[in-house]
Amino acid sequence: MEQRINISQSNAEAVKGLLALEKFTSPLSATHKELIKMRTSQLNGCAFCIDMHTKDARKNGETEQRIYLLNAWKETNLYTEEERAILALTEEVTLIHQGGVSDATYAKAHQLFDDQYLTQLIIAIVAINGWNRIAITTQLQPASN
């Protein structure tokens, strides 16, 4: 697969909006951010982002077991109630064409997080979906080890 245009090099202004979204989500815990980024990237099939964010998650102390089981998070008790709410919201926002975000998923997230944190969670999900779409469209490849 040949990489296509490098948007960051061809027009650095083009990514400033996504970078601003990333900055807005900085108050989120590293664990929450990386769970969102890894799960969204899995759902979208973005190899570049899966590679990057699993490495980042490990640097932030995430365990191998939780990384390996992330795509089956509903079938394990390895994730906290808050993380499960975040993962449910992440899946429904990412797969919004499959019925949107359910009232139950939104209510659970709103019960567990204040308005500010919930806003940051939603923006984090939107941002990684944007990055995934750029990486997939431009055929960005993970670095070889």
Side-chain angles (χ1 to χ4, degrees):
M1 200 179 294
E2 185 177 320
Q3 184 179 338
R4 299 173 180 170
I5 190 170
N6 183 320
I7 292 175
S8 296
Q9 289 178 352
S10 67
N11 188 339
E13 292 292 314
V15 297
K16 278 191 176 179
L18 283 174
L19 292 172
L21 289 177
E22 291 283 337
K23 184 176 181 183
F24 175 77
T25 66
S26 61
L28 294 177
S29 79
T31 298
H32 291 170
K33 279 193 275 193
E34 294 308 330
L35 286 174
I36 289 168
K37 290 175 179 183
M38 288 186 297
R39 187 65 187 129
T40 300
S41 300
Q42 287 175 339
L43 293 167
N44 288 326
C46 184
F48 179 84
C49 293
I50 292 169
D51 181 62
M52 177 192 321
H53 296 299
T54 55
K55 289 174 182 173
D56 290 346
R58 283 183 189 101
K59 288 178 191 170
N60 288 317
E62 190 58 80
T63 67
E64 294 296 315
Q65 185 180 30
R66 283 173 37 108
I67 291 171
Y68 299 150
L69 291 173
L70 184 57
N71 65 342
W73 65 270
K74 293 176 188 174
E75 308 302 323
T76 179
N77 61 2
L78 293 176
Y79 303 93
T80 67
E81 180 182 21
E82 290 82 8
E83 291 167 345
R84 297 174 72 74
I86 290 167
L87 290 167
L89 185 63
T90 297
E91 289 186 0
E92 291 184 21
V93 171
T94 300
L95 302 172
I96 203 156
H97 67 284
Q98 294 182 0
V101 176
S102 70
D103 290 340
T105 296
Y106 181 83
K108 184 64 173 180
H110 199 243
Q111 171 194 346
L112 294 169
F113 305 107
D114 65 26
D115 287 352
Q116 183 66 22
Y117 205 83
L118 181 56
T119 298
Q120 291 164 346
L121 290 169
I122 293 167
I123 296 302
I125 298 165
V126 168
I128 189 58
N129 270 285
W131 289 119
N132 285 173
R133 281 151 177 75
I134 289 170
I136 291 167
T137 300
T138 62
Q139 297 182 351
L140 197 56
Q141 296 294 302
S144 298
N145 290 337

